[in-house]
């Protein structure tokens, strides 16, 4: 690796002081009363030597690196990759670049990433927090590190957070199903105390209640992140089992759950939406080839990312940062899978 | 934003010099003959104040930031997101963190990202280069910036590069089709001079030749990155048009092309593999719901990423970096879509 060209190299070549070079390259030759001739020469030598200003060193002077740290569950998951893309764009607009890392929903990885990013002097962090990481987040508060949680938060911890309208979105989805005549509606969700999942489950239950349907605990299946594929498969088979009052519709709390569930529904030759109504939270490329179009909740990922960066930058630039809770509305993209108004079904 | 705790803060609180604190926190108290009692006190105060060592400042002393810059076409594309994930892991293993950015296959965005990352003092760059960006890459060589190209390179520029065995992979795929009795094999590829696409096209042509089939130029359709969806649809319709000697098999140069083409094939009610044999370069989640399993070339993305980081680190740590060309073998995952040995079809 060649040594980088420094101000000293330019000064030596031109035969002036490093201070003079610094004045010129920072556009302050007037204040320093540098002659036009010599300023021109300094600029030419800098260009000839391919001099790159060291923004990191300059940033350190002002306690800034103009770098943000982004911690997602898994950057290879299209959901987080899409968020990362918009975060990159919004950060760029504001003169920031982004370091990224994946926590794999694991506490130790999350802590390692936080430590690494802090020792890299990031100006702030955007985090999709891991379940149980309250103490890690609390430590950031104590240290006064600017950060914002994204996609999920903690009910027992007051922090800045940008989330989708999880309760409202799932409520509307289930209401669409009850309006269309479905009465025995099941849900498959991840088993986690994180607010985004809790809010979706509550939205599901509240919609049932408001439709006058008594929730049955066997309708709600919670699967762990680990080996979720197999667990989703088992959950679907239990929910549609004809021997024990099967459900007539299903909502899935994430797109990864939806894809696995649809594979089983397909293999079991159930007809969607006649045998079973379906709504997914988030879309998937895989939906394109399912034999019927899938109704899904479409989060505004672009808006979530933008708001996350904006909220973080407000924190970074404020002497007395405020805790801000931003809820971004989503929409329902209605396909065939959620059925039509089937009047005859309404009579139970 | 609170000011970060510095060595000076610790020194003031303990009532010693900053040099002493620095010795202790860098584990050099023996060399500096610091008393055990005072070393212990310094460590305790550092912990109490939540002191984070400033790796950036430390790195600058040695001309290193332990940061890599990653430039992909689009981080929200699952292909690049998967590469990014493995790069993150391999970088982490070596004590590096990764800045990322998306070029959108655009020259100006690519140049902007290179400039930004260089002024952030990255130790090196991993780049999936944009078509026509030779001069940008050449400038990196001139400046002596360590870098490695990934996924694609330039035939007219000697650089370190890590790519899949594009020619070999597509050759094997087309050979599988000819072995299975297909004779009129078409290809849809992107219209770009980048080596990865050129090598795939050459592999396709060479396999036809070695099977004694004369390539017909109307079999090869090149579509632009922009509005590729519509162009792929049109290409498929032309290739399968019954009025003008339709093809009996198709290979697709990328997974994005495959998904669009399969939609049209599905809509046209062609039966795969009887009416049309199919092989894709790279897989897609969407394949899971196509009515038959798709044969595809599986690149070893994990190995490509690992080798990219390793090659780059070798460059960074070497005084006389060598140009290295790494070719990573891929495999073919055989599904139903590429047909079976149909002896009767061999007789044309």
């Amino acid at each position: 690796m060649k040594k980088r060209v420094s101000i000293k190299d330019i000064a030596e070549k031109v035969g002036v002081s490093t201070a003079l070079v610094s004045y010129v390259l920072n556009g302050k030759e007037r204040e320093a009363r540098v002659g036009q001739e010599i300023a021109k020469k300094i600029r030419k030598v800098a260009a000839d030597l391919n001099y790159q200003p060291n923004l990191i060193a300059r940033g350190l002077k002002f306690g800034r690196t103009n770098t943000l740290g982004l911690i997602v569950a898994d950057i290879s998951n299209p959901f987080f990759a899409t968020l990362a893309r918009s975060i990159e764009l919004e950060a760029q607009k504001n003169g920031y670049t982004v370091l990224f890392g994946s926590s794999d929903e694991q506490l130790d990885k999350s802590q390692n990433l936080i430590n690494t990013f802090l020792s890299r002097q990031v100006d702030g962090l955007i985090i999709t927090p891991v379940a149980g990481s309250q103490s890690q987040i609390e430590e950031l508060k104590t240290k006064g590190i600017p950060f914002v949680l994204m996609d999920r938060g903690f009910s027992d911890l007051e922090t800045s957070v940008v989330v989708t309208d999880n309760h409202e979105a799932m409520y509307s989805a289930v209401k669409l199903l009850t309006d269309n005549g479905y009465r025995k509606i099941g849900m498959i969700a991840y088993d986690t105390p994180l607010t985004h999942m809790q809010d979706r489950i509550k939205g599901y239950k509240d919609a049932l209640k408001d439709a006058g349907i008594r929730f049955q605990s066997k309708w709600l299946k919670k699967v762990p992140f680990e080996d979720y594929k197999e667990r989703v498969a088992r959950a679907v088979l239990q929910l549609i089992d004809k021997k024990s009052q099967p459900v007539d519709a299903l909502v899935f709390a994430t797109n990864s759950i939806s894809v696995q569930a649809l594979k089983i529904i397909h293999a079991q030759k159930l007809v969607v939406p006649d045998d079973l109504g379906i709504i997914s939270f988030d879309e998937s490329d895989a939906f394109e080839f399912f034999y019927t179009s899938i109704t899904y909740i479409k989060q505004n990922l672009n808006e979530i990312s933008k708001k996350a960066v904006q909220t973080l930058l407000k924190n970074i630039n404020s002497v007395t940062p405020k805790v801000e809770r931003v809820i971004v509305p989503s929409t329902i993209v209605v396909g065939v899978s959620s059925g039509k108004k089937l009047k005859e079904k309404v009579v139970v």
Side-chain angles (χ1 to χ4, degrees), chain A residues 202-221:
Chain A
K202 191 154 187 312
Y204 155 74
K205 287 183 178 171
D206 286 348
L208 288 183
K209 201 176 164 193
D210 289 355
I213 298 169
R214 216 177 116 217
F215 165 69
Q216 297 188 30
S217 60
K218 67 172 182 181
W219 287 350
L220 175 62
K221 303 286 183 195

Side-chain angles (χ1 to χ4, degrees), chain A residues 12 29 42 51 90-91 110 125 130 134 145 175 191 202 235 247 282 304 316 333:
Chain A
E12 274 172 14
E29 63 248 48
I42 287 170
Y51 170 73
E90 188 65 21
S110 156
L125 292 163
V130 175
Q134 282 92 327
I145 310 287
K175 186 173 183 306
D191 189 11
K202 191 154 187 312
V247 296
D282 289 326
I304 291 173
I316 290 174
V333 178

Side-chain angles (χ1 to χ4, degrees), chain A residues 201-248:
Chain A
I201 291 172
K202 191 154 187 312
Y204 155 74
K205 287 183 178 171
D206 286 348
L208 288 183
K209 201 176 164 193
D210 289 355
I213 298 169
R214 216 177 116 217
F215 165 69
Q216 297 188 30
S217 60
K218 67 172 182 181
W219 287 350
L220 175 62
K221 303 286 183 195
K222 294 182 186 175
V223 298
F225 285 119
E226 308 80 46
D227 65 45
Y228 78 96
K229 291 189 178 184
E230 198 203 318
R231 297 292 292 272
V232 167
R234 213 188 304 164
V236 172
L237 291 176
Q238 287 168 353
L239 286 161
I240 63 173
D241 185 5
K242 284 198 180 118
K243 278 172 280 174
S244 61
Q245 292 190 300
V247 296
D248 60 7

Side-chain angles (χ1 to χ4, degrees), chain A residues 267-331:
Chain A
Q268 294 292 314
K269 299 194 181 1
L270 283 178
V271 178
V272 174
D274 300 347
D275 297 341
L276 198 66
I278 295 283
I279 297 183
S280 167
F281 208 108
D282 289 326
E283 60 196 304
S284 161
D285 267 356
F287 292 174
E288 302 219 41
F289 286 108
F290 194 72
Y291 58 85
T292 195
S293 59
I294 303 293
T295 299
Y296 64 90
I297 294 160
K298 188 182 176 67
Q299 297 191 61
N300 194 337
L301 300 188
N302 192 32
E303 191 64 16
I304 291 173
S305 319
K306 249 170 95 169
K307 284 275 190 278
V309 175
Q310 288 167 357
T311 307
L312 180 58
L313 292 183
K314 255 197 265 174
N315 272 348
I316 290 174
N317 296 316
S318 162
V319 190
T320 51
K322 264 183 280 181
V323 166
E324 238 183 307
R325 192 177 158 75
V326 182
I327 295 177
V328 178
S330 58
T331 49

Side-chain angles (χ1 to χ4, degrees), chain A residues 9-294:
Chain A
D9 299 325
I10 301 169
E12 274 172 14
K13 188 135 188 193
V14 183
V16 295
S17 71
T18 53
L20 204 66
V21 175
S22 174
Y23 277 127
V24 171
L25 296 182
N26 285 301
K28 294 187 179 160
E29 63 248 48
R30 278 214 194 156
E31 290 95 309
R33 295 198 219 155
V34 182
Q36 279 201 357
E37 198 70 10
I38 198 80
K40 212 173 151 188
K41 195 164 176 194
I42 287 170
R43 283 215 185 77
K44 190 178 179 307
V45 170
D48 289 349
L49 295 177
N50 277 308
Y51 170 73
Q52 287 280 342
N54 185 334
L55 287 189
I56 290 289
R58 194 183 286 175
L60 282 178
K61 262 197 199 162
F62 306 102
R64 289 285 174 87
T65 57
N66 275 39
T67 307
L68 305 178
L70 169 66
I71 301 177
V72 295
D74 178 2
I75 192 76
S76 72
N77 176 326
F79 174 76
F80 293 112
T82 305
L83 284 173
R85 181 64 209 268
S86 316
I87 285 172
E88 174 201 340
L89 284 174
E90 188 65 21
Q92 213 168 53
K93 262 191 223 158
N94 291 280
Y96 279 79
T97 43
V98 185
L99 285 166
F100 75 96
S102 310
S103 69
D104 280 327
E105 310 284 0
Q106 285 173 30
L107 278 170
D108 54 339
K109 287 197 184 176
S110 156
Q111 184 66 68
N112 280 341
L113 284 168
I114 291 176
N115 293 346
T116 307
F117 288 167
L118 290 186
S119 55
R120 294 273 184 281
Q121 307 300 108
V122 295
D123 293 342
L125 292 163
I126 298 175
I127 304 175
T128 59
V130 175
S133 64
Q134 282 92 327
S135 63
Q136 299 176 8
I137 304 300
E138 236 159 343
E139 205 189 330
L140 293 176
K141 283 180 81 170
T142 312
K143 286 187 184 172
I145 310 287
F147 72 94
V148 59
L149 304 186
M150 181 178 65
D151 179 47
R152 3 146 144 181
F154 300 103
S155 53
D156 52 349
L157 198 59
E158 213 181 284
T159 66
S160 285
V161 64
V162 180
V163 287
T164 213
D165 59 341
N166 289 296
H167 180 279
E168 184 62 26
M170 192 49 98
Y171 182 96
S172 308
V174 173
K175 186 173 183 306
L176 178 61
L177 288 172
T178 57
D179 284 351
N180 285 356
Y182 297 100
R183 307 297 290 173
K184 288 177 284 183
I185 301 169
M187 177 180 197
I188 305 182
Y190 278 121
D191 189 11
T192 167
L194 287 165
T195 52
H196 69 313
M197 205 50 64
Q198 292 309 314
D199 290 347
R200 290 173 199 183
I201 291 172
K202 191 154 187 312
Y204 155 74
K205 287 183 178 171
D206 286 348
L208 288 183
K209 201 176 164 193
D210 289 355
I213 298 169
R214 216 177 116 217
F215 165 69
Q216 297 188 30
S217 60
K218 67 172 182 181
W219 287 350
L220 175 62
K221 303 286 183 195
K222 294 182 186 175
V223 298
F225 285 119
E226 308 80 46
D227 65 45
Y228 78 96
K229 291 189 178 184
E230 198 203 318
R231 297 292 292 272
V232 167
R234 213 188 304 164
V236 172
L237 291 176
Q238 287 168 353
L239 286 161
I240 63 173
D241 185 5
K242 284 198 180 118
K243 278 172 280 174
S244 61
Q245 292 190 300
V247 296
D248 60 7
L250 278 174
V251 289
F252 305 121
T254 75
N255 53 359
S256 48
I257 292 175
S258 300
V259 171
Q260 293 312 313
L262 286 174
K263 275 198 232 175
I264 304 299
I265 289 164
H266 190 54
Q268 294 292 314
K269 299 194 181 1
L270 283 178
V271 178
V272 174
D274 300 347
D275 297 341
L276 198 66
I278 295 283
I279 297 183
S280 167
F281 208 108
D282 289 326
E283 60 196 304
S284 161
D285 267 356
F287 292 174
E288 302 219 41
F289 286 108
F290 194 72
Y291 58 85
T292 195
S293 59
I294 303 293

